[in-house]
Amino acid sequence: MGEVLIARFKNKREADAVTRLIRKHSASSTLVRGKSLEDLWLAEMINEGMKEKRTHSIAAFEKKLDKQIKRLAR
């Protein structure tokens, strides 16, 4: 998985400016807007999982998701 940047901005104009800057310097980037960090992280894990050829158990997935949620809560 690549790096994930989660940021909060005062307004849409600031967010759009940063998005343009990131896209200018990065070959591939995905902008996801939302308020729930857990949902955003889950969506990123699903996107990465769709690229993999192997399967993972639900227990392993839940364990990794819980770990990431705890990390985001800090």
Side-chain angles (χ1 to χ4, degrees), residues 45-53:
M45 288 177 64
I46 290 169
N47 287 338
E48 289 296 319
M50 296 299 288
K51 296 175 188 175
E52 291 186 9
K53 302 290 185 207

Side-chain angles (χ1 to χ4, degrees), residues 1-6 36-46 48 59-74:
M1 182 185 326
E3 296 299 316
V4 175
L5 171 65
I6 298 174
S36 175
L37 295 178
E38 293 88 358
D39 291 343
L40 295 174
W41 188 258
L42 177 60
E44 179 63 25
M45 288 177 64
I46 290 169
E48 289 296 319
F61 176 79
E62 288 174 343
K63 183 178 177 182
K64 182 166 182 164
L65 180 60
D66 287 342
K67 182 179 173 184
Q68 293 299 335
I69 290 170
K70 287 176 185 173
R71 188 179 300 164
L72 288 173
R74 289 186 207 164

